Amino acid sequence: MPVVTRYLFASLVVVTLAGNFGLIAPQTLMLIPEYIFGRFEIWRLVTNLMFMGKLGFSFLMQLMFLHNHSPATEDFLDRKEGQGAYLFFVVFAAVLLNLAGGLMQVPFMATSLIMSIIYFWSRCFSEQEVTFMFGIKFQGSYLPWVLVAFTVVMGGSPVMDLLGIAAGHIYYFLTHVLPSQPGGMRLLWTPELFKNIFHQGPRNPHTTWTGAHAWGGGGRRLGD
């Protein structure tokens, strides 16, 4: 597995197992804004995205989809945008999901984070054939919606899946759809901070910390 996928996969497994076997109280992992801002328990912004609830079929399914689709997505983004781009995507989606979870009072957002990755994969590999249960085959672009339908058929709520799709689509729209429109421009770039995690070295002097081009400044006075 690529490095970000490997750490993400391991974190989900370790935290979920620890919560289920009593090594960590799930209550200490929950997204509770009052505790985050009132008690400065900022780790909840991360741990709520790592705990996947009770062990069972759903847990294994989520890990399988992460294992099958995250590596290709990481490789695609890092080759196209530069190493660190996939990490930024995951962090960007996590921020959006934390905001949504806080507003909707949802304690855990791990399944939504995985769905955001699956959704982005489906846009990048939209024509790739996917084989689902019972040998059903369809194009990759349909995968998130098939999973939403599967959740509903199994008696679950599609809200968490839809939140993940929304987070993934916002990133995709800002980085791929909007720039390709007539007169469109790219509003979201991978910050140099994320790139420097993988490539230690001086920042390009013509870029800002966000990775965008630095305009203006550095001119000379007339007559100098």
Side-chain angles (χ1 to χ4, degrees):
M1 290 185 188
V3 61
V4 177
T5 297
R6 184 166 66 247
Y7 279 103
L8 179 60
F9 189 92
S11 298
L12 287 163
V13 172
V14 170
V15 174
T16 301
L17 291 179
N20 276 273
F21 288 106
L23 300 177
I24 302 175
Q27 293 81 0
T28 65
L29 308 174
M30 297 169 62
L31 178 64
I32 305 177
E34 293 79 6
Y35 289 2
I36 294 171
F37 297 106
R39 302 182 184 180
F40 301 104
E41 297 179 358
I42 59 175
W43 66 81
R44 294 176 181 271
L45 294 170
V46 177
T47 56
N48 86 88
L49 295 157
M50 299 292 105
F51 184 71
M52 301 174 64
K54 294 182 179 180
L55 300 179
F57 178 71
S58 177
F59 171 67
L60 295 177
M61 284 282 293
Q62 294 284 346
L63 289 181
M64 182 189 72
F65 280 112
L66 181 68
H67 178 272
N68 289 345
H69 300 93
S70 182
T73 308
E74 181 173 353
D75 181 64
F76 172 83
L77 262 182
D78 284 354
R79 282 191 293 105
K80 183 176 181 181
E81 307 283 345
Q83 199 166 13
Y86 183 70
L87 176 60
F88 176 61
F89 161 65
V90 172
V91 171
F92 181 81
V95 170
L96 294 180
L97 292 173
N98 272 319
L99 290 174
L103 291 174
M104 299 176 65
Q105 298 184 335
V106 179
F108 299 108
M109 303 296 294
T111 56
S112 297
L113 180 61
I114 293 176
M115 179 56 82
S116 69
I117 295 171
I118 294 172
Y119 176 82
F120 190 78
W121 177 92
S122 75
R123 301 310 301 258
C124 298
F125 301 92
S126 59
E127 297 184 2
Q128 182 169 320
E129 188 176 74
V130 176
T131 302
F132 198 59
M133 289 183 172
F134 311 113
I136 300 174
K137 295 183 179 181
F138 48 84
Q139 288 187 329
S141 59
Y142 297 109
L143 179 59
W145 310 109
V146 170
L147 294 177
V148 170
F150 181 75
T151 297
V152 174
V153 169
M154 295 298 292
S157 170
V159 172
M160 302 304 294
D161 290 340
L162 293 175
L163 288 175
I165 289 173
H169 183 71
I170 290 173
Y171 179 88
Y172 179 76
F173 178 81
L174 292 176
T175 58
H176 291 73
V177 177
L178 187 60
S180 66
Q181 301 301 311
M185 60 181 296
R186 181 161 181 168
L187 301 177
L188 188 67
W189 301 83
T190 302
E192 289 293 319
L193 171 66
F194 288 84
K195 296 180 180 179
N196 290 338
I197 293 175
F198 300 92
H199 301 289
Q200 296 298 323
R203 174 170 61 85
N204 187 328
H206 300 295
T207 61
T208 67
W209 71 274
T210 63
H213 185 82
W215 300 100
R220 291 187 176 185
R221 293 180 300 173
L222 290 176
D224 285 357

